[in-house]
Structure formats: C-alpha cells, structure tokens
Amino acid sequence: MDWKIRSGAGQRILITSSAGGVGSLAVQLARAAGAHVTAMASAPNEQFVRGLGADAFIDYTAQPFEEAARDMDVVFDTVGGETFQRAFATLKPGGFLVTSVAFPADADRQRGVGVARVQCRPDAAQLASIRALVEAEKLRPHVATVLPLAAVRQAFALSEGGRTRGKIVIDLEG
C-alpha cells in the first residue's frame, strides 16, 4: 500500500514522550499545523506539555495509554519497543504510525495502518518554515541543560535515562 500522511489540519495525533527533546518540538509543530494534539508523559510534565499546546494529556504511569487514546489519525512515537507495539491499538483504520526509532520491517502488514521512520535530511524549505515558526513564537525549543563537551558521557546518560524535559545541549566551547 502507498501510505501518505496528510496535513496536520484537523488530524488527531498522539505524541509519546511529549516532554522530551523530540516530543516537545513535535507537540508544537503538530499544533502549528492545526492538529488536535494528545500528549503522553508522566504527571509532573502535564503543565509543561499543555503549555506547549497539547489539547489533551495522558499520564502513562496512571493507566495504559492505549486505553485512553482511541481513533488517532497519527501516532508519533519517540520511545520504540513496547510503546511502539502498543501504539497500534490507538490508531483508527488507515491511520499512520511515525517513529523516530527503529521498527520491525513488517510492522504494518497485519495492522492496516502505515508505518514510517522519521529521518533527518537537509531541506531549505522546511528549515525556512521552522524558522518562521520560531520567529512567530509558535515554536519554542526548551533547553533542559547545557553541558560542556567534556561531559558528553553525562549528556548521553541523561538522554538514555528518558527523564529529561526538553533538549540536552553540548557546548562545544565550554
């Protein structure tokens, strides 16, 4: 099948790990595109992700997220593994699961939905549109911490811990 992700306008999107570095930007980008955004994070992050523009919130520590989210047009998964597998239950037929992590090659064959992995590539038009969102204050990167290059191991440990709110920045001159 030829799966296509439609424009965000009017779409219902679930974003996993929405308080993290990638998820927090995804919430804002989806909201700017006109999507109805359901953010998934732990309870201490609810106000943070709502402040980014989330319309609805799921505390994944209080209940299985697949019981709270239904009929999603798109799921943007930044976690992978079991979360990726469980996310299929939240999609409506014909929905689309996008992930920033690896997934099994046949993940969509028996599910009736599309699956794609986000990959970064240089694109001047997309960068210009992101710049416009930043300048319009519709996209605000949140920096959790800034570490010197000498602390790169600490930065990786923080990132792998999955509990950072926003981006971890390495200061190449510090």
Side-chain angles (χ1 to χ4, degrees):
M1 288 189 152
D2 183 24
W3 298 99
K4 302 234 185 261
I5 301 176
R6 294 166 293 285
S7 121
Q11 299 290 300
R12 292 173 33 89
I13 182 170
L14 169 65
I15 300 172
T16 67
S17 191
S18 60
V22 174
S24 63
L25 292 172
V27 168
Q28 295 173 78
L29 291 169
R31 188 73 178 129
H36 178 277
V37 179
T38 299
M40 185 176 98
S42 60
N45 291 308
E46 180 173 3
Q47 292 310 310
F48 173 67
V49 297
R50 285 192 183 274
L52 298 173
D55 298 293
F57 179 80
I58 297 172
D59 176 1
Y60 72 91
T61 66
Q63 65 181 333
F65 72 91
E66 64 273 25
E67 291 177 6
R70 290 282 186 220
D71 296 321
M72 294 289 152
D73 295 296
V74 178
V75 173
F76 182 59
D77 173 45
T78 64
V79 180
E82 182 183 336
T83 299
F84 173 85
Q85 295 298 332
R86 292 168 47 206
F88 284 101
T90 69
L91 288 166
K92 69 180 188 180
F96 211 97
L97 196 153
V98 180
T99 184
S100 60
V101 295
F103 64 89
D106 64 347
D108 63 338
R109 288 200 181 132
Q110 297 178 355
R111 313 244 188 193
V113 299
V115 179
R117 184 165 186 246
V118 172
Q119 296 185 357
C120 295
R121 67 185 192 294
D123 185 314
Q126 285 181 349
L127 289 174
S129 67
I130 290 170
R131 178 182 174 169
L133 289 172
V134 171
E135 289 173 350
E137 298 183 2
K138 291 184 178 182
L139 180 64
R140 299 176 318 269
H142 179 80
V143 176
T145 188
V146 178
L147 297 170
L149 182 58
V152 73
R153 286 185 186 196
Q154 179 185 355
F156 274 109
L158 285 171
S159 179
E160 289 173 352
R163 301 286 181 240
T164 302
R165 183 184 285 178
K167 300 301 281 178
I168 301 165
V169 176
I170 301 293
D171 181 354
L172 299 177
E173 296 179 6

